[in-house]
Amino acid sequence: MLEQFKATIKQDFPDFNKYEIYVASSGGIDSMVLTSLLISVGYQPVILHCNFKLRAAASEADEKFVKDFAKANNCKVITTAFETEKIAANRKTNIQETARDLRYEWFRSIVKNHKSLILTAHHLDDAVESFFMNILRGTGIKGLSAIPKINPPFYRPLLQFSQEQITRYAQTNKITFREDQSNQKTIYRRNKLRHEIIPLFHDLEPEFTKKMKSFFSEMTDLNEWMDINKKSLIKKLIIQNENQTIIDIQKLKKLSTFELKLVVEDFNINRKKLTEFSAFLDSDTGAVFNSNSHQFLINRGQLIIKEQSKNFTIHETIDNLPYHLQTSFGVVDIKASDYSVITPKNNLLQLDFDKIKLPIRIRNWRHGDRITPLGMKGSKLISDILIDKKNSQFEKNKILVLESESGELIAIINFLISDDYKISSTTKRILEVK
């Protein structure tokens, strides 16, 4: 097993010795074998241990065991503790799910850079259990490969080994470990699979685990092939524009259901929502569809996609200059300066400061707002100006205006100024809005 372990690491990470190596250890047989293998091939990993405080004195004993092992083997150890039951109650999730989430949240907080790896002791039998768990949850093709070997920063070098091989290695090399009695309780779905269901498959087929290993290998190859073709498909469809994604709807509607799923799955459109989403593509301009993470807008034959963001409200009084405002989509800077020459820039507005009296206000535009655009005599609705400029609803939501203390609009930031505040031959000072 040791030689096979060495070969696996060399194949997966030829420059493994250049990585900062962490190993997740519960103190159980799997993680202790993994840690011992790493030490046997010449590495001194940093050992990570979570105390979930679920088994009273036994949890404390697990932590002490891991710390004593680390000290005896000159390894650094980092521990943390969680009030798992309380956190599960607050999150309204089950104990096992909560513990898993807490563990991985903590692991990710440890990683410092892309040259760090966190090794976990998942093995072939774990992959088989995860396969059935995924089936029960309702999985797609990706879930059929169960557990990925490499999912940066996580690396699982024991996935090719069975529980039997790991147990035999521990016995042969006299590796001590802690036994978690909760692993025997069949009140948990995974444990019920482990102790009652999966053994039935072994009774039916003695080489069940070996055949599942071959199946996982094929599914991994299939997923890699799908990822390559998915990237190629997305490259042909998607236009990336600042913080939003644009796709031609007609091209999207020509895709097969499977291809459509591949394109939109990264935007949290799952199989259950796919039919509803497909129908949405026939909607008129202005229609919006939401996933848990993204918003989709129909806009003149295009689908515009952006990350979900909270509605923002800006309504501030500007008493002094210079003024600086940081928003979720950019920065607004306003300052006064002596007038010399107009500097034309796309994101810069210049007004006659002598016609402006502080304080002024900066706020979100509202329906019904009117302004007299530069070069015009009469006023015009901002909503009409935005329609003329063919702004999408997403872009409209980011529009800010400047208004005088009396409520007269001075400028639409990043768009235009009011003709009443334009620079003239008598201008001495200017207001710059960038």
Side-chain angles (χ1 to χ4, degrees):
M1 184 175 177
L2 179 60
E3 292 306 313
Q4 197 174 345
F5 179 76
K6 281 183 188 177
T8 298
I9 289 179
K10 186 175 181 180
Q11 177 182 317
D12 295 336
F13 291 95
D15 55 348
F16 191 73
N17 61 336
K18 295 180 181 178
Y19 284 81
E20 188 170 19
I21 305 301
Y22 299 87
V23 60
S25 177
S26 64
I29 184 171
D30 304 330
S31 56
M32 293 311 298
V33 165
L34 174 58
T35 307
S36 298
L37 283 167
L38 284 167
I39 292 171
S40 294
V41 296
Y43 296 100
Q44 299 296 132
V46 178
I47 300 174
L48 305 177
H49 177 79
C50 298
N51 182 345
F52 295 105
K53 297 190 175 182
L54 293 172
R55 296 181 296 116
S59 291
E60 303 305 319
D62 289 348
E63 182 175 334
K64 183 179 184 304
F65 172 79
V66 172
K67 286 180 175 178
D68 289 345
F69 176 88
K71 184 177 180 181
N73 289 275
N74 298 315
C75 292
K76 182 180 176 182
V77 62
I78 305 174
T79 64
T80 191
F82 300 105
E83 297 291 343
T84 311
E85 289 183 334
K86 291 181 181 178
I87 297 171
N90 290 335
R91 293 186 179 186
K92 297 180 180 178
T93 51
N94 65 51
I95 296 293
Q96 285 194 317
E97 181 183 349
T98 303
R100 181 189 181 283
D101 290 345
L102 289 171
R103 179 166 66 245
Y104 278 94
E105 287 164 13
W106 182 58
F107 288 163
R108 286 189 177 91
S109 73
I110 296 291
V111 173
K112 297 173 184 176
N113 52 59
H114 69 284
K115 278 294 185 180
S116 296
L117 288 176
I118 298 178
L119 277 60
T120 66
H122 292 91
H123 49 72
L124 184 54
D125 292 65
D126 290 325
V128 174
E129 291 168 14
S130 292
F131 168 82
F132 283 104
M133 290 286 285
N134 291 344
I135 291 290
L136 291 172
R137 292 187 189 109
T139 188
I141 291 175
K142 284 191 178 295
L144 297 180
S145 51
I147 303 174
K149 184 197 284 189
I150 301 171
N151 183 24
F154 300 104
Y155 175 42
R156 303 174 179 96
L158 297 187
L159 274 180
Q160 63 183 309
F161 301 107
S162 67
Q163 182 72 74
E164 183 184 353
Q165 288 175 290
I166 290 169
T167 300
R168 191 162 58 245
Y169 184 85
Q171 292 170 343
T172 302
N173 293 276
K174 297 181 172 56
I175 296 171
T176 56
F177 56 89
R178 294 276 299 171
E179 188 68 58
D180 183 350
Q181 295 302 320
S182 67
N183 288 334
Q184 305 303 317
K185 296 179 181 179
T186 55
I187 58 171
Y188 300 120
R189 178 182 277 190
R190 183 177 284 273
N191 287 353
K192 193 174 185 68
L193 279 168
R194 179 181 301 164
H195 299 298
E196 296 180 7
I197 308 300
I198 294 176
L200 297 177
F201 285 91
H202 286 284
D203 290 341
L204 290 169
E205 175 50 64
E207 294 194 336
F208 174 68
T209 302
K210 181 180 178 181
K211 290 183 176 181
M212 287 301 293
K213 180 180 179 180
S214 175
F215 172 75
F216 291 146
S217 177
E218 285 199 26
M219 292 310 301
T220 298
D221 291 342
L222 175 60
N223 279 321
E224 289 177 358
W225 179 85
M226 282 172 52
D227 285 340
I228 292 170
N229 284 274
K230 173 180 172 178
K231 287 176 184 176
S232 175
L233 178 62
I234 288 174
K235 189 175 180 181
K236 293 175 183 176
L237 288 173
I238 284 180
I239 301 169
Q240 203 65 42
N241 182 13
E242 296 182 359
N243 65 337
Q244 60 188 26
T245 299
I246 301 172
I247 306 177
D248 184 289
I249 291 177
Q250 289 306 313
K251 291 181 180 179
L252 208 55
K253 289 167 73 172
K254 289 179 182 178
L255 300 179
S256 67
T257 301
F258 182 71
E259 289 173 322
L260 180 62
K261 177 185 174 295
L262 287 180
V263 171
V264 300
E265 64 184 0
D266 291 339
F267 303 113
N268 267 332
I269 300 291
N270 57 30
R271 283 181 299 162
K272 290 181 181 179
K273 280 194 168 186
L274 199 58
T275 301
E276 185 184 351
F277 179 79
S278 296
F280 159 74
L281 295 178
D282 290 321
S283 303
D284 295 330
T285 289
V288 174
F289 187 92
N290 291 294
S291 72
N292 292 333
S293 59
H294 289 78
Q295 277 190 319
F296 303 78
L297 171 72
I298 303 288
N299 186 59
R300 298 178 178 87
Q302 293 182 323
L303 181 69
I304 302 176
I305 310 169
K306 77 176 187 70
E307 289 186 24
Q308 289 273 17
S309 58
K310 294 180 181 178
N311 291 332
F312 71 95
T313 300
I314 293 175
H315 194 285
E316 293 194 23
T317 300
I318 303 171
D319 295 300
N320 298 294
L321 297 173
Y323 172 82
H324 176 87
L325 174 67
Q326 176 74 55
T327 75
S328 60
F329 51 83
V331 175
V332 179
D333 283 308
I334 304 175
K335 68 177 183 178
S337 62
D338 292 333
Y339 175 60
S340 54
V341 65
I342 297 176
T343 308
K345 289 183 181 177
N346 289 336
N347 62 340
L348 178 67
L349 300 178
Q350 295 178 314
L351 305 96
D352 189 329
F353 188 43
D354 294 318
K355 298 176 182 176
I356 298 168
K357 182 180 178 182
L358 295 180
I360 56 176
R361 284 184 294 269
I362 183 170
R363 63 168 173 83
N364 306 92
W365 80 283
R366 298 189 290 258
H367 284 283
D369 280 340
R370 305 185 72 94
I371 191 171
T372 304
L374 183 65
M376 288 182 63
K377 297 300 180 183
S379 66
K380 189 171 183 178
L381 285 167
I382 288 182
S383 56
D384 289 340
I385 293 171
L386 298 179
I387 289 172
D388 291 343
K389 291 184 175 290
K390 298 184 178 180
N391 288 103
S392 72
Q393 188 60 49
F394 290 159
E395 292 167 322
K396 291 177 184 178
N397 291 340
K398 298 186 290 187
I399 300 299
L400 300 174
V401 298
L402 281 180
E403 68 176 359
S404 67
E405 193 174 23
S406 64
E408 182 185 9
L409 291 192
I410 297 169
I412 307 173
I413 293 176
N414 237 27
F415 276 85
L416 56 83
I417 67 169
S418 166
D419 192 75
D420 297 329
Y421 295 89
K422 67 184 177 184
I423 293 171
S424 68
S425 58
T426 61
T427 299
K428 294 181 179 178
R429 293 185 303 162
I430 60 172
L431 185 73
E432 292 191 338
V433 184
K434 182 178 180 182

